[in-house]
Each structure stands twice: as structure tokens, then as C-alpha cells.
Amino acid sequence: MFRHIARLAIAAMLFAAMAPAASAHTVLEQSWPRAGEAVALAPASLRLRFSERIELVLARVTLISARGESAALGEPSLEAGNRRTLVIPLAGPLVSGQYEVTWRVVSADGHPSEGRFRFSVAP
Amino acid sequence: MSLDWWAATLRFTHISASLFLLGALAFPLYARVDPLPRQSINALALTALGAGAAWIGAMALGLAAETPSVEWLRALLFSTEFGHAWLLHLGLTALLATLVLFGGRGILVVAIAGVQAASLALFGHSAVLEGWQGGALIAAHAAHVLGAGVWMGGALSLFVFLGKADMAAGNEIVRRFSRVGYAAVAAVALGGALNLRLVVDVWLPDIDNTYGALLTAKIALAGAIFALAAFNRLFASKPERRKILMRAIVAEHLLFLAVVLLAALVSAQAPHG
């Protein structure tokens, strides 16, 4: 029995050494517009790429202007074939100024994450 | 007490009861004796069910961004990957509890108890990867949990049996338990090591963060259990040392409960946080 266990252990360790690891609870890896970016052209949508698969039905995103007004957002969706990227269409054009995006998502393993970032529209 | 602490306490209770139940149900299959009273098995099954339902309820409440509604709960349970896993796990726990309460025993009930315990791997950190790596992580976690259940639940039954058995019968059952114990210990160690490598990309955790510190404490306590098990096998399993063996089994169980408590706390932490 010990020989079988030892063989299994060696095979499993070799396999694990080659496999990639999970990184952490979900974090925002990239966004469009990027955090701190000043875009010349107002975006038609917000795109948020996370480090893990997320659950669309539990995703919440708000967009607030520097004057404290909420921008109207469309129904969020996931990028086709990619459960890590959330796409939120803007219901109308953004006027010049600074905006803050607040997001809250739950990853496919059931852990919640939240955060915020700012960008500005400066034609 | 915050919702996170409630969730950790309920998770600890649910996992402890589920694993003891699995091992206690499996013990008669290889030891060919069934020393645990029916009331004890029923109590483990009811505790696993009650704590499991409350734990999943606490986790659901913890995810609510606004006041929970029926619509939100339906979306949470039926439109998310982890919601499906919760429902499957809770359904298996309810099925197992029903079978046990009606006196069900034998290989089918043990198989259901095994699947119920293994389904813990379908949510939490072990469900984070995709593709074949995700499958490997779930398999490693399931092996870890199954090994722990068969080992510790079996040791509980062995303890009860040794308390009332004569010397010759006790020796034979210790021998049968030891054979299964080797495989169970290997599954715990191997599954745990693979889990660690796949979740945090290291073979030994970093103690600079809460997750790593809790995991290091868990591994240290697990190491103490392995050392006790080796002591039992090499020294305390001799017939004239029956009392020492029984005390060592109690110590193993106390350490095991501490390990499950740490596991319950680890699950709420970010792997690098």
C-alpha cells in the first residue's frame, strides 16, 4: 500500500507543480476607461475586467459625477465567452467632468469584492 | 457577534458533524463492528443539517448588497454557480439526515455521506479555478475532506469500541482501523498539499498575512495530529497500552476540532490578503 501511496504522491506533486494557482479573491484587473484616465471622447460603455469569474446577477455598478449626480446605466452583461469582464452600457452621453465608478461583484466561488475608481471626460 | 463570525461558527459545526458522521458510518464497513449508539449518529446527522442550513443562510445574507428580497434570493440560489453548489450540498445533507434518521446504514448511505462531504469542495476557494486545473483543485479538496472524515470519524468509533471491548477484540479492530487509516492520512496530506499549491501558488504559506498565518497554524496542528497518529501506530497500539491509546485518540480529536475551526476561519480570508 505504501508503494501505491508514494507513486500517487509523486504524480500529484508533479502535476501541482505545473498547474497555475488561483490568485486571490476577485480584484479589478483592468477597466475601460482606466482608473485616473482623462478620456477625450465620452465612452459608450464601461468595461470592468476581474481576476476571477463573476456572477452577473449579483454585479452592481454605479457611476456618479463630481456634482453627485448618478449617470443612467443600461443593463450590465458579460463579454461574450468571458465571464470575467463586465460590460455596462451608458444610457446617455457623459458631459465633461470627473466621474466615480463604484462596483460590487461576487465571484463564482461565492466571495464578494467591491471597489471604486475615478476617470474624467475632458474633450 | 458579526455575520462573518456566525458563518464561521456554523461552518465549523457543519463540517465537524458531517466529517464525524461520514467516518462513523464508514467504520462498520471495514471494522465489522458498529459501536456508536444510534442516538449519537442521529445527533450528528441533525447537527450537520441544522448547522448546514443556517451556515448557507448566513453566507447568503453576507452577500446581500441591499435588503434581501425573494427575487434576489431566487437569483442567488438558481442563477449562480455557487448557489447551485449550495443547493446540491444542502440537498445531499438533507437526504443523508433522512436516511440516517430512518436507520439507513451500509455502503449506499456511506457513499451518499462521501458525496455530501466531497461536495463541500464545490464552493469557496476550491471552486475558483477553471478548466482542468479547477477539476484538479476540487478533486484535491474532496480527497482532503474525505480522508479527514474517514480518519477522524473512524477514530471516534474506535474510541467508543475500545472503551467496552476485551483485549483480543480491541486489537483486531485497531489493526483493521490502522489499514484504512494509512490511506485516509495520505488523502488528507496529499489533498491538503495540492490545495495549498493550487490556491496560493506555494508549498508553504506566507505568515505575513491573515490567510497565511491561519493556514500555517492549521498545518502545524495537522502535523501534531500526524505525529500523534504515528505514536499511536508505533507505540500506543500495543495491547498493554490501551489507556494511552485512548487518551491519544481524545487528543487527536481535540486537535482535529481546532484544525476544522481554523479551516472555517481560513475560508473567509483572501488567499493573499
Side-chain angles (χ1 to χ4, degrees), chain B residues 112-131:
Chain B
I112 292 169
V115 176
Q116 184 264 351
S119 66
L120 283 165
L122 296 176
F123 47 94
H125 293 145
S126 51
V128 77
L129 289 176
E130 295 171 77

Side-chain angles (χ1 to χ4, degrees), chain B residues 15 19 22 114 116-121 140-150 187-188 191:
Chain B
I15 294 179
L19 298 190
L22 166 64
Q116 184 264 351
S119 66
L120 283 165
H141 191 87
H144 185 63
V145 167
L146 289 173
V150 169
V188 171

Side-chain angles (χ1 to χ4, degrees), chain B:
Chain B
M1 202 155 73
S2 73
L3 198 59
D4 283 349
W5 280 102
W6 273 114
T9 306
L10 291 165
R11 177 180 155 88
F12 161 73
T13 310
H14 172 70
I15 294 179
S16 304
S18 296
L19 298 190
F20 277 127
L21 181 62
L22 166 64
L25 287 169
F27 188 78
L29 292 187
Y30 58 86
R32 297 193 285 277
V33 289
D34 192 359
L36 221 56
R38 184 173 173 174
Q39 297 93 312
S40 304
I41 299 271
N42 289 352
L44 285 172
L46 285 172
T47 305
L49 181 58
W55 171 40
I56 283 174
M59 284 197 293
L61 279 178
L63 293 178
E66 55 261 359
T67 309
S69 63
V70 174
E71 204 172 287
W72 172 84
L73 188 63
R74 194 180 296 134
L76 182 82
L77 293 176
F78 297 104
S79 303
T80 65
E81 270 184 41
F82 62 87
H84 295 159
W86 286 358
L87 288 175
L88 174 69
H89 181 71
L90 207 52
L92 285 165
T93 310
L95 173 64
L96 179 62
T98 307
L99 289 171
V100 164
L101 291 176
F102 281 96
R105 298 290 185 275
I107 196 150
L108 180 66
V109 176
V110 173
I112 292 169
V115 176
Q116 184 264 351
S119 66
L120 283 165
L122 296 176
F123 47 94
H125 293 145
S126 51
V128 77
L129 289 176
E130 295 171 77
W132 63 271
Q133 296 97 334
L137 180 54
I138 287 171
H141 191 87
H144 185 63
V145 167
L146 289 173
V150 169
W151 182 13
M152 284 297 134
L156 178 67
S157 296
L158 177 67
F159 177 83
V160 173
F161 182 79
L162 291 178
K164 54 191 178 189
D166 62 41
M167 200 65 86
N171 293 343
E172 176 57 21
I173 301 305
V174 168
R175 199 179 56 76
R176 289 177 195 166
F177 174 73
S178 294
R179 273 202 306 244
V180 173
Y182 285 129
V185 169
V188 171
L190 207 56
L194 287 172
N195 230 335
L196 182 62
R197 169 62 182 75
L198 290 166
V199 174
V200 279
D201 203 11
V202 293
W203 292 108
L204 284 173
D206 180 358
I207 57 168
D208 288 347
N209 57 66
T210 311
Y211 180 89
L214 288 171
L215 210 51
T216 304
K218 185 186 170 212
I219 292 168
L221 289 180
I225 301 178
F226 291 148
L228 259 179
F231 167 81
N232 290 346
R233 183 70 194 95
L234 300 171
F235 177 80
S237 59
K238 305 281 187 295
E240 64 277 15
R241 294 170 188 155
R242 178 67 50 82
K243 280 215 165 76
I244 297 173
L245 177 63
M246 290 181 71
R247 283 188 196 131
I249 293 174
V250 172
E252 271 184 12
H253 281 124
L254 293 175
L255 287 169
F256 171 70
L257 290 173
V259 165
V260 177
L261 182 61
L262 287 171
L265 296 173
V266 161
S267 70
Q269 301 293 324
H272 295 290

Side-chain angles (χ1 to χ4, degrees), chain A residues 18-35:
Chain A
M18 292 184 296
S23 57
H25 286 187
T26 308
V27 292
L28 181 65
E29 281 187 339
Q30 178 69 282
S31 67
W32 295 272
R34 290 194 300 271

